[in-house]
Amino acid sequence: KNLGQMMKQAQEMQSKMQEMQDRLGDIEIVGRSGGDLVSVTLTGKNEMRSLTIDPSLLNSDDLEVIEDLVVAAHADARSKVEETLQKEMQKMTGGLNLPAGISLPF
């Protein structure tokens, strides 16, 4: 009886995970750095959609600063994507009583 219920929950979870995967491509998350001088937009699948650099930075002779700001904005966006994914997974697994130490996706 419990095994049947667990199998049903696993099938429901698989269906919900597929739905979430489908939605991730549509989610856009923006990371910023340098007081909004640089922004990077990623999808929920970590695909870069856009990169915006404030024109005032282009007058700078310090290319290294611009590069660092791009890397920082990307890291900010990526951490926001991870946070969003964790929240989505918590919503999805909220009804399941998973044993301690087990996390999804497997």
Side-chain angles (χ1 to χ4, degrees):
K1 190 174 184 179
N2 285 338
L3 182 59
Q5 188 175 18
M6 285 179 60
M7 292 299 289
K8 183 179 175 185
Q9 284 181 331
Q11 288 174 341
E12 289 173 4
M13 179 65 60
Q14 186 176 19
S15 175
K16 287 180 182 180
M17 285 186 72
Q18 184 59 50
E19 289 173 19
M20 185 180 79
Q21 287 291 324
D22 293 342
R23 286 192 322 260
L24 289 177
D26 296 329
I27 296 172
E28 289 190 353
I29 298 173
V30 179
R32 302 179 192 285
S33 68
D36 291 341
L37 291 174
V38 175
S39 67
V40 171
T41 302
L42 299 178
T43 68
K45 293 183 177 184
N46 281 317
E47 297 166 347
M48 187 182 293
R49 287 269 169 94
S50 69
L51 166 66
T52 305
I53 300 173
D54 189 282
S56 67
L57 285 175
L58 302 178
N59 297 330
S60 170
D61 289 332
D62 198 354
L63 181 61
E64 211 171 288
V65 170
I66 296 171
E67 292 169 345
D68 289 344
L69 289 173
V70 169
V71 169
H74 185 269
D76 182 47
R78 217 177 62 230
S79 71
K80 289 177 180 178
V81 166
E82 288 300 318
E83 182 180 314
T84 300
L85 291 176
Q86 286 179 357
K87 287 178 183 177
E88 288 295 315
M89 288 301 290
Q90 286 176 350
K91 283 185 209 174
M92 207 168 57
T93 61
L96 287 180
N97 294 322
L98 296 175
I102 293 184
S103 61
L104 295 174
F106 299 104

